[in-house]
Amino acid sequence: MLVFSGGAGDEALELAVGHALVRRVSDGQVMEALRVYRPAAPVVVFGRRDTRLPGFAAAVRAARAAGFEPLVRAVGGRPVAYTTEAVVVDHVKHERLAPEGMETRFKEFGVRYADVLQTLGIDARVGAVPGEYCPGAHSVNARGVVKLVGTGQRVVRNGWLFSALIVVGDDARLRPLLSEVYGELELPFDPASVGSLATEVPGLTVDTVERKVLDAYGATNPQPLDDATLTLAAELVADHRVSA
């Protein structure tokens, strides 16, 4: 398995890298790859269907007013927000019967991320909490009360992309913004559902979390992104920007 780390420097390009990787596994150019990176700037990432809601333009304005760049992702789900105090994981694999394993992957990766958090001293559990942002049955929460990790998938011909967002900190900054964004979109949301790893374990750093994730995958010697992936990502980046 190829292992990549390090950011691309542009948050739209970061999303496009995941998009490029899943295309490359679909074509058989890459068999399996893991990418772990830290965002370089705060963003609100919308799902494709969010862009069709009447309140989307207002939600975009709210994100920008708060200093967050609005973007659109390839995988499904509802809006998420994060800052530099986060770790993002993209795992792609070439697999002929990819659609058949969707539910199994959600379960297995949910348990994997809960296990990682438990090694950090967090009472981590798999499952949605009431009113969470981008709700999912295989989110990872703390104490059954606050969401810490969101997961999503994109399945393509002969391949899949599994993404995870681990919120390490800045939950106090995320709550009011997500409240406004979800309010504009007229989607259910409870700000009390937003948590972070550093709130659960004060002093926890992004460095520590990133190392724990890489260890959980048995990933050693991460490499910078290859030129072929970056070139394709540059061609796809416009798909992830918001012009409104």
Side-chain angles (χ1 to χ4, degrees):
M1 178 171 65
L2 297 171
V3 180
F4 300 114
S5 69
D10 174 343
E11 294 311 303
L13 188 59
E14 303 286 23
L15 295 181
V17 165
H19 191 171
L21 284 170
V22 76
R23 282 203 179 185
R24 297 192 71 206
V25 297
S26 177
D27 293 341
Q29 298 174 34
V30 173
M31 299 310 293
E32 186 173 15
L34 175 74
R35 184 177 181 232
V36 181
Y37 73 91
R38 312 175 198 184
V43 294
V44 175
V45 184
F46 296 89
R48 292 286 176 196
R49 58 180 172 166
D50 298 324
T51 66
R52 297 187 288 272
L53 294 177
F56 178 65
V60 165
R61 288 193 296 271
R64 288 181 172 142
F68 285 65
E69 181 182 6
L71 300 170
V72 180
R73 64 178 176 273
V75 294
R78 291 303 191 181
V80 301
Y82 50 92
T83 69
T84 56
E85 291 296 305
V87 173
V88 181
V89 186
D90 287 336
H91 185 179
V92 296
K93 188 174 183 178
H94 181 81
E95 192 170 294
R96 190 171 62 84
L97 300 177
E100 296 182 8
M102 178 174 278
E103 185 64 18
T104 298
R105 284 189 295 275
F106 267 124
K107 291 178 179 177
E108 290 180 350
F109 284 112
V111 170
R112 176 175 294 186
Y113 287 109
D115 287 348
V116 169
L117 269 54
Q118 287 166 8
T119 69
L120 294 167
I122 296 170
D123 179 4
R125 312 172 189 182
V126 178
V129 298
E132 71 176 28
Y133 60 91
C134 194
H138 304 289
S139 300
V140 179
N141 67 72
R143 300 168 284 107
V145 177
V146 292
K147 181 171 182 169
L148 302 178
V149 182
T151 58
Q153 287 191 68
R154 183 180 185 189
V155 175
V156 296
R157 180 180 58 85
N158 296 328
W160 49 263
L161 161 66
F162 194 98
S163 292
L165 165 64
I166 305 171
V167 178
V168 181
D170 280 344
D171 43 323
R173 188 177 176 188
L174 300 178
R175 286 189 198 98
L177 171 60
L178 285 169
S179 293
E180 192 168 358
V181 166
Y182 274 73
E184 296 291 359
L185 297 175
E186 297 185 355
L187 296 172
F189 172 68
D190 181 356
S193 68
V194 179
S196 75
L197 275 62
T199 294
E200 298 298 314
V201 181
L204 198 58
T205 67
V206 174
D207 283 345
T208 298
V209 176
E210 183 179 31
R211 285 197 302 271
K212 286 288 187 179
V213 170
L214 289 168
D215 289 346
Y217 277 92
T220 57
N221 299 319
Q223 303 297 314
L225 284 163
D226 61 289
D227 289 342
T229 299
L230 284 171
T231 297
L232 180 55
E235 296 172 4
L236 299 170
V237 71
D239 293 344
H240 301 281
R241 297 197 191 279
V242 175
S243 57

